DNA sequence: GATGAATGAGATTTCATTCAT
DNA sequence: AATGAATGAAATCTCATTCAT
């Protein structure tokens, strides 16, 4: 609630940062331009000087936010050649992302909920453009061709892993209550192992 | 946009139905009381007569909506003793639910996004209360004890299946674009088989 | 400045009346919605309830205003068969109109000044639709055919009379200063005779 | 909309010129300082550096504009001794002025509409100071004294001619629609003759 | 002379909610 | 149960003007 943005940062950055918080907490409709300005310690008119409208400010926030996230994802992933490690790393990255940039979860959720969202399109483009998915696809493809993995549908498999990993973080407020998860920190650590285990076992060719 | 509710239905029902649409499309903050009243073909004051406030109307809508859904879930699930069938049926039920009550997805997403939501709590209660999870838990437990399944963490396994199934529906607007899903109908059908296959393979004890 | 509208009048009427004053004094851009609401002794939101926007309120005001004026013009004119009397009556009506509905002059002036005005079109339609001009045209035509008037261009003649009569009222703030008109009341009385005299002399066939 | 002012012209001139356009189109209340600056291709602050306020800029524009116009009027008029020619020339000058400096009409109209305008006073002074009216008055006076013209009220006559000539240009958006003037160019040419004819016939002593 | 950023006051409009009937 | 009109508070956005450089 109090002004959180670094006052030495540029005005534009302070606004973006304050807006990110506000949009994360309240969504675009619930967000209040007044509050954003106050948090950013700028005159309300400055918002409009820099971003023209609440809507465009929102877009700027989301795009900047996801660009950063996607970049981090990409740089984390590509280092790994070993698929087992890569999966673990992916799950770990999801967890860290959620922890370090918590605003991204509600923002993403609300975009998923918005039937007119053109930002989903944009986000998909950013993810696709980063090459993450094609790297993953290649690795899985190799594993299947080499006979290490069963003849699974690769696309479905990728989506399964993503939903198990990221999907949990999105659904956590509900899942945690239904399954009585009390210490999320611990749970997430265990989950990382559990989903890699499930996935690999589900996918690998059985001996004999 | 046009009044959709059956005008012969009771006023209360017409309002609930119009409100469900509105809240699904716009969320609670984006929803407009005027629009709801117009869609329901009632005077705005009537809406307050029956529901006291936008907030309470929202709660009424959500609770009624989820009660129905949970009830349907439960009735579908409990019939099955065979776990393989039950999993397939669960995935199928998720798919049908999304198709027949499409408003539920955005509403759920926005509740997940709302940090102060006490409705998540309520929904979790409804799900827990329905006994679905405990039935599932028992079955998995038996399977592990009997040695058919590996010694997995049951809770994580359940969550993994749910996220693979329901999680996809929540994340579809993004996932479909990233992985270029064009015919969702077909994709969902294939997915049902894929996740049951992955799950069972991932979970079963391997033959020597 | 003080609330002038009859508080017993209907809300809509009070708003129209207050708005007429405001628009006459300040023009649409200079007008303030706050002031209109205060003058009409209504809540600002009422303006929007009844008229949707400042722009539409303005249109409503102008249309209502001119309809009244045109109607008065028409009823005054058509009584006269004698053309001399009709001209005098027209000049008199212009003078009375300006006196009794003073707001109409600035409003008309500003519409004339507005290149995008579609209200000028509308006003022209209202005038044309009232039949005033065609009555006038017929009478002049008869006078020319009968040989009482010279073979003048009727359209130019009509416009000449109108500009001499109404045009003075529009240009009065300037004309009065240039020609040092101090008592406008007297001046207007004299002018009525002067323009009828000039017009008839200018138009009539000269006795050999 | 695009910057129209000659960029090689001095800053001050560019601002004046852009402002003239803007004020002509929108009036002082509708004019936007931003737009003027953009059209003049200068920084907004520059505008304040040179003119101190929107109001003063407006005054500067109007005064410069009308000084030019009055000067042109005067130089055109005084050459003529023959009154018939002088009248024709006056009408012609009005027409040219409107064509060459079209912004002047809306500006004048809005000043006429503004009850607090002190610019009307100033314009009247400029016109009076130029001597146009006194020249005209003398000539008419001579004509009456010499017996060529009837004993008309000279002031009314002058105003009648001015309103017939200039008044048409002010009221053209309305008049053209009411009387279905489609080719204004042609109409204005014919009008010049028509009003001189009407005026002289209206004013001259009839033979016997 | 010139600029980009900043500001305060206020403009129009919106919206959940209530009142009188 | 039902309505049209009314309301207050607040929302978004605008705009003339000024400051720091």
């Amino acid at each position: 609630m109090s002004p959180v943005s670094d006052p030495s940062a540029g005005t534009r950055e302070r606004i973006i940062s304050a807006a990110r918080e506000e949009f994360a907490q309240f969504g675009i409709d619930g967000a209040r331009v007044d509050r954003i300005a106050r948090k950013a310690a700028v005159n309300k008119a400055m918002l409009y000087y820099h971003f023209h409208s609440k809507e465009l400010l929102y877009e700027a926030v989301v795009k900047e936010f996801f660009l950063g996230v996607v970049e981090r994802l990409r740089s984390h992933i590509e280092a790994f050649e070993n698929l087992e490690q890569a999966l673990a790393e992916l799950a770990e990255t999801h967890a860290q992302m959620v922890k370090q940039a918590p605003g991204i979860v509600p923002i993403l959720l609300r975009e998923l909920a918005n039937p007119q969202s053109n930002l989903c399109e944009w986000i998909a483009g950013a993810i696709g453009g980063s090459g993450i998915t094609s790297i993953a696809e290649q690795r899985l493809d190799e594993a299947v061709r080499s006979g290490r993995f069963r003849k699974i549908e690769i696309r479905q498999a990728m989506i399964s892993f993503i939903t198990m990993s990221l999907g949990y973080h999105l659904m956590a407020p509900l899942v945690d209550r239904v399954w009585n998860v009390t210490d999320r920190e611990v749970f997430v650590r265990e989950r990382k192992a559990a989903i890699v285990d499930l996935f690999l076992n589900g996918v690998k060719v059985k001996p004999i």
Side-chain angles (χ1 to χ4, degrees), chain A residues 37-96:
Chain A
R38 200 161 54 248
K39 280 193 226 180
V42 300
N43 188 291
K44 232 190 317 178
M46 259 347 253
L47 289 185
Y48 291 90
Y49 180 76
H50 284 293
F51 297 97
H52 300 1
S53 76
K54 182 182 170 182
E55 181 112 9
L56 287 175
L57 172 56
Y58 178 71
E59 276 189 29
V61 162
V62 172
K63 288 184 178 175
E64 204 225 51
F65 206 7
F66 274 93
L67 274 184
V69 162
V70 166
E71 169 54 23
R72 234 184 316 167
L73 258 182
R74 202 190 49 72
S75 71
H76 279 220
I77 297 307
E78 67 182 1
F80 290 83
E81 293 176 6
N82 179 319
L83 205 138
E84 281 79 353
Q85 279 185 340
L87 290 175
E89 180 62 17
L90 185 55
E92 172 66 17
T93 307
H94 282 154
Q96 272 179 29

Side-chain angles (χ1 to χ4, degrees), chain A residues 163-198:
Chain A
T163 50
M164 282 196 290
S165 173
L166 184 54
Y168 161 71
H169 293 290
L170 300 189
M171 298 167 70
L174 190 58
V175 164
D176 286 1
R177 281 175 177 113
V178 170
W179 280 281
N180 205 29
V181 174
T182 48
D183 187 339
R184 199 181 285 180
E185 194 105 11
V186 171
F187 179 81
V188 166
R189 231 185 348 262
E190 292 173 0
R191 180 153 189 77
K192 197 170 52 172
I195 65 179
V196 171
D197 171 74
L198 181 70

Side-chain angles (χ1 to χ4, degrees), chain A residues 14-24 36 40 57 61 107:
Chain A
R14 288 213 314 286
I15 295 173
I16 284 266
S17 162
R20 185 163 47 229
E21 253 191 59
E22 177 81 5
F23 287 131
I36 296 175
L57 172 56
V61 162
I107 286 178

